[in-house]
């Protein structure tokens, strides 16, 4: 039977961590408000531009969803990405870096990018695949991808995307996601028949939407939904998006805090071309992400992976078990992973049995190296996805 099960980011995010694979400062996770209000206009880390509607525009070009650099406007048939060749440099706050995200200006991913790298230039893309392809092709320095949430667990489709590319995790960031119900000015809640948003947002607000008795329609992203309401003057439709998107596009907020659980944290990864351009600071706790493919047939392999880490006192912060072998019902397709260590060109390989693992400690920590070597003895394939500083903060953009 096809299934996935996981241990993932959850409410224990704020609990102290018992073991570390390497000595570290005993910093406990903190709760950070990353947004502030200046002159009545919300800022994300001091970044604010006027949008055409007189509201705050997050993206640098002052035009919603359109960027023109080098006289070109289209990547993958879409006009939301700027074309330019980058060097991958950039200051510590991301100044000089271009970060691709899925969605229109005002999407949560854009807030996450701006919080992780306040000085960066954000580059909107139609789809997550476009954002990753833009890094692959050297058009931007990073892509940002939501990979898991406390309410829904691992975003498997985004993990699938990540594994198909020769990219590394350079940074992580956790964001509190507050959802609002937005509508065109003057529209009342009783007039709303349909709600549109990113599938994750619709899922996170499932109970609230059931109570409202409205139809749900998934669209590419939350801010894109807002943009759609505005440009089509939709009067029977509302969008789920952030309060900042409401301000940016001049919509009314019909309801705040629509998410079914008040604790709604999404974890985002910033991806770059290898090798990672970001060194883990000496005073930071490192984290290593990897994917382990195995032959399946038994869950013993999960125990062996747990033992490889626990016998060395290495904490794991994620273990997602994917078994896509046929059985009862429709089998899911195997996970496609780019084998970057293959002789010759990197090869896309299909694996039905896969584990996604995050552990504490750096990939070059002798204990972590030993654990990976032990896993390699019984696994079919192991790929380290990145080693980066663990971000113990949870940022709140409200
Ligand atoms: O649609 C957006 O705004 C995104 O950035 C994707 C997303 C959707 C819901 C929660 C976190 C990220």
């Amino acid at each position: 039977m096809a299934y996935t099960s996981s241990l993932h980011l959850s409410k224990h995010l704020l609990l102290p961590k018992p073991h570390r694979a390497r000595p570290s400062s005993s910093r406990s996770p903190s709760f950070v408000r990353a947004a502030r209000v200046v002159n009545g206009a919300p800022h994300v880390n001091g970044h604010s531009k006027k949008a055409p509607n007189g509201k705050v525009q997050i993206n640098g070009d002052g035009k919603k969803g359109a960027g023109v650099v080098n006289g070109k406007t289209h990547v993958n048939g879409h006009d939301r990405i700027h074309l330019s060749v980058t060097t991958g440099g950039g200051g510590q706050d991301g100044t000089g870096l271009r970060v691709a995200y899925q969605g229109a200006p005002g999407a949560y991913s854009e807030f996450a990018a701006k919080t992780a790298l306040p000085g960066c230039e954000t580059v909107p893309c139609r789809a997550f695949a476009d954002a990753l392809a833009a890094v692959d092709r050297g058009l931007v320095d990073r892509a940002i991808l939501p990979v898991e949430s406390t309410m829904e667990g691992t975003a498997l489709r985004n993990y699938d995307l990540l594994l198909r590319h020769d990219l590394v995790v350079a940074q992580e960031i956790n964001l509190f996601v507050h959802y609002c119900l937005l509508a065109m000015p003057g529209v009342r809640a009783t007039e709303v028949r349909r709600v549109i948003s990113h599938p994750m947002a619709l899922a996170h607000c499932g109970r609230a939407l059931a109570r409202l008795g409205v139809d749900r329609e998934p669209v590419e992203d939350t801010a894109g939904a807002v943009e759609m309401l505005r440009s089509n003057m939709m009067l029977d439709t509302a969008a789920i998006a952030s309060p900042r998107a409401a301000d940016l596009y001049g919509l009314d907020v019909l309801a705040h805090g629509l998410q079914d659980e008040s604790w709604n944290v999404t974890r985002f990864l910033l991806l770059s071309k290898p090798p990672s351009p970001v060194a883990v600071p000496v005073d930071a706790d490192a984290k290593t992400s990897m994917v382990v493919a195995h032959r399946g047939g038994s869950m013993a392999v999960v125990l062996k992976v747990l033992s490889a880490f626990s016998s060395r006192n290495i904490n794991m912060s994620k273990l997602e078990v994917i078994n896509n072998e046929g059985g009862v019902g429709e089998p899911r397709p195997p996970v496609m992973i780019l084998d970057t260590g293959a002789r010759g060109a990197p090869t896309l390989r299909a694996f039905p049995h896969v584990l996604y693992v995050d552990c504490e400690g750096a990939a070059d920590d002798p204990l972590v190296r030993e654990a990976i070597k032990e896993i390699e003895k019984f696994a079919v394939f192991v790929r380290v996805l990145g080693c980066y500083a663990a971000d113990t903060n949870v940022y709140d953009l409200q």
Side-chain angles (χ1 to χ4, degrees):
M1 181 164 18
Y3 64 82
T4 114
S5 53
S6 61
L7 282 173
H8 58 83
L9 186 101
S10 65
K11 295 185 188 188
H12 68 244
L13 197 76
L14 290 187
L15 297 178
K17 293 177 280 179
H19 301 293
R20 292 184 200 288
R22 71 181 210 176
S24 64
S25 56
S26 54
R27 289 172 296 108
S28 56
S30 60
F31 181 88
V32 180
R33 287 197 181 269
R36 60 203 170 89
V37 176
V38 178
N39 296 337
H43 278 222
V44 175
N45 295 324
H47 185 80
S48 169
K49 296 231 165 78
K50 285 285 174 192
N53 58 5
K55 301 287 178 176
V56 172
Q57 170 81 0
I58 308 289
N59 222 24
D61 57 16
K63 290 189 211 121
K64 270 191 287 181
V68 184
V69 174
N70 299 344
K72 303 214 175 138
T73 55
H74 290 256
V75 167
N76 296 333
H78 202 266
D79 68 357
R80 280 199 192 147
I81 192 160
H82 306 215
L83 286 178
S84 77
V85 176
T86 56
T87 58
Q92 264 204 334
D93 74 340
T95 304
L97 293 183
R98 291 156 61 78
V99 182
Y101 67 96
Q102 188 224 19
Y108 291 102
S109 300
E110 188 190 36
F111 296 147
K114 272 293 186 187
T115 304
L117 296 167
C120 77
E121 179 191 350
T122 49
V123 180
C125 296
R126 188 187 54 81
F128 287 122
D130 296 337
L132 267 56
V135 189
D136 255 348
R137 294 162 60 190
L139 303 174
V140 297
D141 305 286
R142 309 266 194 285
I144 190 160
L145 200 61
V147 288
E148 63 191 48
S149 70
T150 47
M151 289 183 68
E152 290 282 296
T154 300
L156 292 174
R157 289 162 69 94
N158 286 353
Y159 243 90
D160 284 350
L161 270 179
L162 158 60
L163 299 174
R164 284 168 177 264
H165 289 264
D166 184 11
L167 299 177
V168 292
V169 182
Q171 211 172 332
E172 69 170 356
I173 179 157
N174 301 307
L175 208 67
F176 259 104
V177 171
H178 301 269
Y179 293 115
C180 293
L181 190 67
L182 313 183
M184 289 291 288
V187 169
R188 285 172 303 185
T190 50
E191 293 166 331
V192 173
R193 300 275 167 269
R194 187 171 65 140
V195 171
I196 57 175
S197 196
H198 186 279
M200 205 143 93
L202 292 173
H204 290 172
C205 304
R207 285 204 294 275
L209 293 177
R211 273 197 304 276
L212 287 171
V214 290
D215 293 335
R216 307 159 199 199
E217 222 169 274
V219 294
E220 296 279 0
D221 68 287
T222 59
V226 175
E227 198 179 35
M228 200 182 293
L229 284 194
R230 175 104 242 167
S231 52
N232 297 314
M233 306 285 282
M234 296 161 98
L235 301 178
D236 63 346
T237 304
I240 299 175
S242 70
R244 293 180 45 76
D247 190 69
L248 188 56
Y249 294 91
L251 292 203
D252 283 353
V253 178
L254 298 181
H256 282 274
L258 214 63
Q259 62 274 5
D260 293 338
E261 286 183 25
S262 55
W263 181 274
N264 183 29
V265 177
T266 298
R267 176 173 174 243
F268 295 81
L269 298 179
L270 282 127
L271 307 167
S272 77
K273 276 193 178 191
S276 175
V278 186
V280 179
V282 280
D283 59 342
D285 295 341
K287 205 165 169 180
T288 299
S289 294
M290 67 199 80
V291 56
V292 176
H294 61 97
R295 281 180 197 85
S298 127
M299 290 298 274
V301 70
V302 177
L303 287 177
K304 286 194 203 169
V305 168
L306 290 172
S307 146
F309 291 107
S310 67
S311 63
R312 295 173 177 86
N313 261 1
I314 301 171
N315 250 355
M316 291 168 74
S317 52
K318 178 184 185 72
L319 174 58
E320 180 87 30
V321 181
I322 311 262
N323 177 359
N324 286 351
E325 191 110 275
V328 182
E330 272 296 291
R332 294 194 325 160
V335 178
M336 304 300 294
I337 306 176
L338 194 71
D339 183 351
T340 50
R343 284 209 196 97
T347 315
L348 207 53
R349 298 173 62 186
F351 297 105
H353 308 284
V354 163
L355 309 176
Y356 302 147
V357 177
D358 289 353
C359 73
E360 291 178 2
D364 63 358
D365 178 307
L367 286 177
V368 174
R369 279 218 319 251
E370 264 181 32
I372 294 174
K373 275 208 164 11
E374 186 175 317
I375 293 167
E376 279 171 339
K377 285 187 196 147
F378 57 83
V380 177
F381 173 70
V382 178
R383 181 175 142 199
V384 172
L385 301 172
C387 169
Y388 47 97
D391 189 353
T392 45
N393 297 314
V394 178
Y395 296 88
D396 182 11
L397 290 166
Q398 246 194 1

